[in-house]
Amino acid sequence: MPSRIKFSGAEKDITLDELEDAIHHARNAGAKGTSYVYAVLSTSGKIKEVGVDIGDDTDY
């Protein structure tokens, strides 16, 4: 079963720079380009949190 790495913004929502940093960290942790990205959105549609599965079962 894969593990999920999660990222959230320093403030309420994630900025583009924070999203880029999250992607960099996820790839360094072993996430593949075929891994799905999961997100939690605010009521206004902004991204509050992203998660990426890492580990053996990331290819679906």
Side-chain angles (χ1 to χ4, degrees):
M1 182 168 166
S3 298
R4 186 169 293 166
I5 189 168
K6 295 181 181 180
F7 304 93
S8 58
E11 299 293 324
K12 183 177 165 183
D13 303 310
I14 294 178
T15 65
L16 185 59
D17 287 340
E18 289 169 332
L19 180 59
E20 180 180 32
D21 190 47
I23 292 167
H24 177 75
H25 283 5
R27 289 204 184 258
N28 285 342
K32 298 177 184 176
T34 56
S35 298
Y36 291 105
V37 177
Y38 300 89
V40 176
L41 303 179
S42 68
T43 56
S44 63
K46 296 175 188 163
I47 299 173
K48 294 173 69 169
E49 180 181 283
V50 294
V52 179
D53 288 342
I54 56 172
D56 297 335
D57 297 336
T58 56
D59 289 335
Y60 297 98

